[in-house]
Amino acid sequence: AMGYEGRLFDDGFVHTIDIRMGDEDWADFLANATSEEYRLCTLAIDVETFANVGLRAKGNTSLSSVAGYGNNRYSLKAEFDRYAAGKSYYGLDKLVLNNNIQDNTLMKDYLAYKMMAAAGAKAPLASYAWVTVNGEDWGLYLALEGVEESFLARNYGSDYGELYKPDSVSMGGGRGNGGGF
């Protein structure tokens, strides 16, 4: 068992995550979110603080959707070992914070992951988190186990093989509405 399973992914309550970054750095992060570049931050998850974490906006079409809605509530990826090799959140290397911006119920993804796991599929762990940035409310997000090394190790052991991810941008889709598909 990985240590993060019973902590952040205990879905018996809503967790708290405070993203700490200088105000100017956060403003620059939002202004350049579509670049998907990692920025240094500190994450306070429930009662524990993790410094030197990499944070970037997440998504392909969701990045342009957020801008199209006229707000800056991006989905986010936090990479614990971005700036320090081997660093993790109790074994978790990557955390995804999904904004659920196109789901008014805020439950579709959560229920889909839970149903996949109940059916025996290897699904990311999920729970809810109330996110703040420098103490300012940012809203309810779905916290997800990133499909990376920790996910593979939890599901397949230490000899898990290779992980491949298609890049929809290089497939001709581009950002936005799917391009030439």
Side-chain angles (χ1 to χ4, degrees):
M2 305 291 270
Y4 62 85
E5 292 175 89
R7 286 181 169 83
L8 181 57
F9 297 107
D10 171 359
D11 62 359
F13 64 99
V14 175
H15 298 269
T16 59
I17 298 177
D18 186 35
I19 300 166
R20 298 177 186 162
M21 188 182 293
D23 290 337
E24 289 181 23
D25 294 331
W26 181 249
D28 187 56
F29 175 86
L30 292 176
N32 297 293
T34 57
S35 71
E36 297 183 65
E37 292 178 18
Y38 280 94
R39 304 292 179 94
L40 188 66
C41 76
T42 296
L43 290 182
I45 301 173
D46 293 327
V47 296
E48 296 181 84
T49 301
F50 299 85
N52 301 318
V53 175
L55 184 74
R56 75 171 178 88
K58 173 200 164 293
N60 285 324
T61 56
S62 65
L63 280 171
S64 57
S65 295
V66 170
Y69 291 141
N71 69 39
N72 53 14
R73 194 172 177 272
Y74 295 100
S75 289
L76 304 166
K77 276 190 183 181
E79 192 170 308
F80 292 92
D81 58 357
R82 181 72 179 184
Y83 299 107
K87 185 175 182 176
S88 70
Y89 170 81
Y90 295 98
L92 181 67
D93 54 345
K94 191 171 285 185
L95 171 64
V96 174
L97 296 171
N98 189 339
N99 63 7
N100 293 311
I101 200 163
Q102 295 178 322
D103 177 10
N104 290 333
T105 69
L106 304 177
M107 296 188 319
K108 292 176 185 174
D109 284 356
Y110 174 81
L111 292 174
Y113 289 122
K114 292 298 182 180
M115 288 190 310
M116 287 171 47
K122 306 298 185 195
L125 299 173
S127 66
Y128 286 101
W130 186 261
V131 174
T132 57
V133 177
N134 298 325
E136 179 184 336
D137 286 341
W138 212 247
L140 187 67
Y141 279 73
L142 183 62
L144 294 168
E145 173 188 30
V147 179
E148 299 282 335
E149 284 79 12
S150 56
F151 169 86
L152 295 173
R154 182 179 64 82
N155 286 290
Y156 303 106
S158 61
D159 188 26
Y160 53 76
E162 299 294 324
L163 173 65
Y164 296 95
K165 179 182 174 187
D167 182 357
S168 63
V169 174
S170 67
M171 292 171 44
R175 302 232 182 263
N177 63 7
F181 285 106

